[in-house]
Amino acid sequence: MIELAPSILSADFARLGAEAQAAVEGGATVLHVDVMDGHFVPNITIGPPVVASLRKVSKVPLDCHLMIERPDEFIPAFAEAGADWISVHQEACIHLDRTLHLIAAHGCKPGVVINPATPVHALDEVLPLVHHVLVMSVNPGFGGQTFIRSSLKKIELLSRIRESRQLGFRIEVDGGIHHETVADVVRAGAEILVAGSAIFEQGDPSESARQLLKSALHAAKQPVQGLSSAVPGGVAGDGGSSLSLP
Ligand code: DX5
Ligand code: ZN
């Protein structure tokens, strides 16, 4: 099942409720909330009060992507504010297993995120614990960056691992998703598609969501062919060498 998760990072924060609602009317079924602390990433965004405000105006799951250091200290506040899903970066968690259990203990779905430079196999031990794995297809910190194509083989690898180990996590992708990239990520196996600038910086968020979802669903119906050959290193490993700087 393909789901669209608009990132409110690119929304007009003065009109946040209306913009989020418009994206949901266009078919979005999750709202992605980017939390940045100015330490783990070179940018600062929002915290629990904004999640609490969104909770009041929207019924869809709130997917809180924590790009912060020491996430354990803030997980209770995000859960209290109404987060449904909370994801943390593998790179930010010294005791990742403990952090994922902490998220679940607060009644939220735990997710784990990997940066473009982090291999899928860094997650081997925690895959049975997570509701979703979020593959960053840009370096986190900003909206509107260029899609990093080496993320495609990481999505493919996750999909294979899930099948071979008979696990149930969902595969989410975040960064540079728009009309030119959405088909490739869907064919690689991504199911939850985060998009910020493609939804909130192209005019009507409702229509933008509708069109992007349409492209994604169309790609999901196409036979998978030739994807790996477009990615240096194919699907055999997850180290890859393709680089794309913003
Ligand atoms: C980047 C964020 C993304 C970002 C995506 O650090 O995690 O969610 O908002 O923005 P686009 O879709 O514009 O690349
Ligand atoms: Zn994000």
Side-chain angles (χ1 to χ4, degrees), residues 156 184 187 222-230:
E156 286 188 319
D184 283 347
R187 288 190 198 120
Q222 304 297 307
V224 178
Q225 57 182 7
L227 176 65
S228 309
S229 61

Side-chain angles (χ1 to χ4, degrees), residues 160-173:
R160 288 169 168 221
I161 291 171
R162 179 174 61 186
E163 195 178 341
S164 69
R165 291 176 60 184
Q166 299 191 308
L167 295 171
F169 61 83
R170 302 186 69 195
I171 303 173
E172 183 173 23
V173 61

Side-chain angles (χ1 to χ4, degrees), residues 87-176:
S87 59
V88 291
H89 273 257
Q90 184 272 343
E91 304 87 0
C93 296
I94 297 169
H95 304 292
L96 180 58
D97 178 282
R98 175 184 287 152
T99 302
L100 294 169
H101 278 104
L102 183 68
I103 295 169
H106 280 83
C108 299
K109 308 269 191 214
V112 66
V113 194
I114 47 173
N115 279 336
T118 303
V120 166
H121 284 305
L123 303 180
D124 280 351
E125 302 303 325
V126 299
L127 290 177
L129 305 178
V130 297
H131 167 263
H132 57 291
V133 175
L134 173 48
V135 175
M136 288 307 300
S137 42
V138 297
N139 286 294
F142 304 94
Q145 300 184 82
T146 302
F147 181 77
I148 296 175
R149 291 193 64 80
S150 57
S151 61
L152 291 173
K153 64 182 183 303
K154 292 164 73 173
I155 295 167
E156 286 188 319
L157 182 59
L158 273 167
S159 180
R160 288 169 168 221
I161 291 171
R162 179 174 61 186
E163 195 178 341
S164 69
R165 291 176 60 184
Q166 299 191 308
L167 295 171
F169 61 83
R170 302 186 69 195
I171 303 173
E172 183 173 23
V173 61
D174 182 5

Side-chain angles (χ1 to χ4, degrees), residues 7 32-34 65 67 134 136 174 194:
S7 162
H32 185 82
V33 181
D34 286 307
H65 173 194
M67 287 162 274
L134 173 48
M136 288 307 300
D174 182 5
V194 177

Side-chain angles (χ1 to χ4, degrees), residues 45-83:
T45 56
I46 57 171
V50 175
V51 174
S53 294
L54 270 177
R55 180 73 294 155
K56 287 184 204 151
V57 297
S58 188
K59 289 187 169 40
V60 303
L62 300 179
D63 169 27
C64 294
H65 173 194
L66 303 190
M67 287 162 274
I68 63 175
E69 292 180 353
R70 297 180 284 107
D72 294 25
E73 294 177 19
F74 299 93
I75 285 163
F78 280 99
E80 177 72 18

